[in-house]
Amino acid sequence: MTKEFETAGFLSLGGFFRRGAQSEILAPGTPCPNCQTPLEGAWCHKCGQLAEDFHRSTAKLLFESVREFFDVDNRAWQTLPDLLFRPGRLTRAYLEGHRAPQVPPLRLFLVVLVLLFLVGVNIGSTVPRNIVLPTNNPREQLSRIENDKNISEADKREIESDIKSAHVQFGNGKPSARAKWLEAHIKYAVAHQTEFWQAVQNWAERFAFLMLPLSALLLGLLFVFQRRFFLYDHIIFSMHSLSFVCLLVTATIAWNHYLRPDLGGWPLFAAPVHLYFHMRGVYGSSVAGTLFRMFLLFIGSAIGATFIVLGLLWVAVASVGGA
């Protein structure tokens, strides 16, 4: 399965870095290698090609790559503090046209989204314990569970007990073709839990991205009577807001796994506080209006997220094998 969002995120990561000052830029007046137009700067003004000579040693290329990786663009250091502590000013400045000092919102969102899943998959790389769906014909499933080295012996005994006592049946009487299809895929997911949860991980980033249009549409409804805001404004707001949430969740997961004491989910309460100041800073609504819209946004997001999760599980079940 392709990795569209991982690829986009890693390509976007290049926007956080800048080329080193010692890159092999061709001298002004040198003919452009592509269109032969005399160069006037680091880019050809006619065809747009980078005016750089790539004919140099492998060692030099590797050295420049390492240097560029750690040579962080100043935009990242200006964007992240504002995102964390002054989100209203960050979004408002971008909407007013002050974009050069900022990391582009979409690039920022893609990078932190990929970072979230990299940390989450690395920490929670084992098969979730004891996730068992009802099934018929347990002999093959029991054999698969017994040979799965990712499951502890205690979990194996509990899973085997669940499988032996479980049964799948959709509807009364003769099942339809769709029910048979779903039953077959659920049975396969139970018998091949490692494959199933790998499918969930593969699709999770794609479905998580759906929170962006969901958030923008909900904001559009909440501010539908304020004509000075457009869908574009809500999309930029959503990118910045979701970027903060992804960073917060990533930091919380990493802290609870690697450091002590374990903080649990308490840091996540910073999300509504951040959203409150973010909304007031961008939309200029009153305290009561902001809190009321936050409540409606929470309800709408919870409903939308439920459908997104159900869709994720459906696609994961459908993508694994089944008779």
Side-chain angles (χ1 to χ4, degrees):
M1 186 175 292
T2 56
K3 299 283 187 179
E4 297 93 345
F5 283 103
E6 292 91 332
T7 302
F10 283 119
L11 290 176
S12 298
L13 189 60
F16 281 91
F17 308 112
R18 56 184 169 85
R19 304 195 65 81
Q22 300 178 0
S23 297
E24 301 293 333
I25 301 298
L26 298 174
T30 304
C32 172
N34 181 51
C35 65
Q36 304 303 311
T37 302
L39 297 171
E40 298 180 3
W43 302 84
C44 177
H45 62 277
K46 183 176 181 180
C47 69
Q49 179 168 287
L50 177 65
E52 183 173 347
D53 182 13
F54 292 94
H55 294 286
R56 46 194 187 272
S57 66
T58 303
K60 192 169 185 178
L61 286 171
L62 290 175
F63 174 77
E64 289 183 4
S65 298
V66 173
R67 183 187 62 210
E68 290 170 15
F69 184 80
F70 290 101
D71 193 8
V72 181
D73 193 334
N74 288 332
R75 291 188 303 173
W77 300 130
Q78 296 178 22
T79 302
L80 292 178
D82 280 350
L83 177 68
L84 297 177
F85 304 110
R86 296 176 293 272
R89 186 175 78 173
L90 177 70
T91 303
R92 192 172 58 250
Y94 189 90
L95 294 176
E96 291 173 354
H98 303 290
R99 300 169 185 173
Q102 293 190 26
V103 176
L106 180 58
R107 179 177 298 161
L108 177 66
F109 176 59
L110 288 175
V111 169
V112 297
L113 182 62
V114 170
L115 179 63
L116 170 62
F117 280 92
L118 285 177
V119 172
V121 170
N122 179 61
I123 292 176
S125 58
T126 58
V127 178
R129 70 177 298 273
N130 223 14
I131 305 297
V132 176
L133 300 174
T135 179
N136 294 318
N137 302 323
R139 183 175 301 174
E140 180 185 357
Q141 288 87 327
L142 292 173
S143 176
R144 294 283 183 180
I145 295 298
E146 187 64 32
N147 295 327
D148 195 331
K149 297 180 180 179
N150 293 321
I151 305 177
S152 67
E153 292 301 324
D155 287 343
K156 283 182 181 180
R157 289 192 295 270
E158 192 171 350
I159 292 173
E160 289 170 357
S161 175
D162 290 342
I163 290 177
K164 290 177 181 178
S165 61
H167 182 73
V168 169
Q169 183 174 355
F170 296 95
N172 297 320
K174 185 178 180 180
S176 64
R178 181 174 298 180
K180 290 181 179 179
W181 176 89
L182 181 58
E183 179 181 345
H185 280 77
I186 289 179
K187 289 179 181 179
Y188 187 91
V190 172
H192 306 80
Q193 294 193 26
T194 302
E195 182 180 345
F196 170 72
W197 286 106
Q198 183 61 52
V200 171
Q201 292 177 359
N202 289 342
W203 284 99
E205 293 172 33
R206 298 165 175 82
F207 278 80
F209 189 82
L210 294 178
M211 291 300 298
L212 176 58
L214 172 64
S215 173
L217 290 175
L218 289 174
L219 287 169
L221 292 175
L222 294 176
F223 291 94
V224 66
F225 296 112
Q226 297 196 22
R227 301 297 183 181
R228 58 196 178 100
F229 298 113
F230 300 90
L231 184 60
Y232 173 80
D233 303 323
H234 303 315
I235 291 175
I236 300 301
F237 179 94
S238 300
M239 288 179 184
H240 284 154
S241 182
L242 291 173
S243 295
F244 172 80
V245 173
C246 289
L247 283 175
L248 180 64
V249 174
T250 302
T252 302
I253 293 174
W255 180 281
N256 289 338
H257 184 76
Y258 294 111
L259 301 176
R260 293 294 183 270
D262 190 326
L263 298 177
W266 286 103
L268 300 181
F269 282 99
V273 176
H274 183 274
L275 178 61
Y276 171 81
F277 288 104
H278 195 185
M279 290 185 72
R280 289 213 67 193
V282 174
Y283 296 107
S285 53
S286 64
V287 174
T290 301
L291 293 175
F292 179 67
R293 288 186 174 93
M294 285 178 60
F295 173 75
L296 295 180
L297 183 62
F298 173 78
I299 297 299
S301 298
I303 295 173
T306 300
F307 281 101
I308 290 174
V309 171
L310 291 175
L312 169 63
L313 294 177
W314 176 273
V315 171
V317 168
S319 64
V320 298

